[in-house]
Amino acid sequence: WAGKWAARADDVLAWVPARITALLLLLLGGAWRALGRLPAEARHTPSPNGGWPMAAMALALDVHLRKPGVYTLNAAGRTPDLLDTVRACAIGSRTALVVTLLACASLLV
């Protein structure tokens, strides 16, 4: 029972950050046009929050990401290759930098 309560608390507390992260991944990945597709793609995963950043990265890279038998994100995307890993790291790094700067700026206000 305690584990179930903790999982629900995690779902509630991560709801906003997951969506902000997904939005930033799309915008900083140059895929702002895919914003309308994000909610539908995120719903393909069983997690209420984990699918959002994963779907955003799949859309930003225009690749399909899948866990066989569980979900496929951006099914129309191409198969990821080695350079997509480098691009994902760059997008993730830019996103982490922007979030850090926004957090620091909020402390100054």
Side-chain angles (χ1 to χ4, degrees):
W1 184 86
K4 194 170 233 181
W5 184 89
R8 290 295 156 233
D10 178 63
D11 290 345
V12 170
L13 294 172
W15 196 89
V16 171
R19 283 145 183 84
I20 291 171
T21 300
L23 177 65
L24 289 172
L25 286 169
L26 271 183
L27 295 177
L28 297 172
W32 56 272
R33 291 181 184 170
L35 189 58
R37 294 176 47 209
L38 181 60
E41 291 295 331
R43 283 192 291 270
H44 288 131
T45 67
S47 169
N49 297 318
W52 286 81
M54 292 188 301
M57 189 62 82
L59 291 167
L61 297 173
D62 193 28
V63 298
H64 67 266
L65 299 176
R66 66 188 189 103
K67 182 175 184 179
V70 182
Y71 62 80
T72 300
L73 299 172
N74 193 26
R78 60 186 174 71
T79 301
D81 61 27
L82 183 60
L83 290 178
D84 291 314
T85 303
V86 175
R87 289 181 56 215
C89 288
I91 294 168
S93 294
R94 284 193 300 267
T95 301
L97 177 62
V98 167
V99 168
T100 301
L101 292 174
L102 289 172
C104 289
S106 73
L107 295 174
L108 297 175
V109 176

